[in-house]
């Protein structure tokens, strides 16, 4: 109930502490036709701390707004 991202998590979540010089950008279809843009740090090699951002949608204007 006290999670800092709770109010906006259905649209976007950002973990700036996971940001690194080398990133990957992918689109993922999770369910019911919803598509999310997922930004991950290659430095974490898929382990804890790899997610930098998850943003609902793939339009660049929406992704840029939450960078």
């Amino acid at each position: 109930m006290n999670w800092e991202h709770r109010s906006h998590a259905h649209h976007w979540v950002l973990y700036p502490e996971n940001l690194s010089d080398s990133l990957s950008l992918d689109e993922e279809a999770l369910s019911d036709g919803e598509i999310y843009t997922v930004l991950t740090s290659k430095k974490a090699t898929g382990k804890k701390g790899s997610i930098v951002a998850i943003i609902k949608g793939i339009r660049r204007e929406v992704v840029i707004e939450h960078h």
Side-chain angles (χ1 to χ4, degrees):
M1 296 300 282
N2 296 325
W3 187 43
E4 66 182 288
H5 297 290
R6 183 177 174 168
S7 65
H8 57 78
H10 59 284
H11 291 291
W12 61 274
V13 178
L14 179 65
Y15 298 101
E17 66 274 14
N18 295 343
L19 194 58
S20 69
D21 291 336
S22 185
L23 302 173
S24 292
L25 183 68
D26 294 302
E27 291 84 29
E28 300 291 331
L30 299 180
S31 63
D32 296 328
E34 295 178 336
I35 299 177
Y36 290 81
T37 299
V38 181
L39 184 64
T40 55
S41 169
K42 290 185 177 183
K43 180 180 176 182
T45 61
K47 297 182 175 114
K48 183 177 180 180
S50 63
I51 296 176
V52 176
I54 301 174
I55 303 165
K56 186 174 185 178
I58 57 172
R59 295 187 58 211
R60 73 172 170 228
E61 296 84 5
V62 174
V63 174
I64 290 169
E65 177 182 341
H66 297 294
H67 80 289

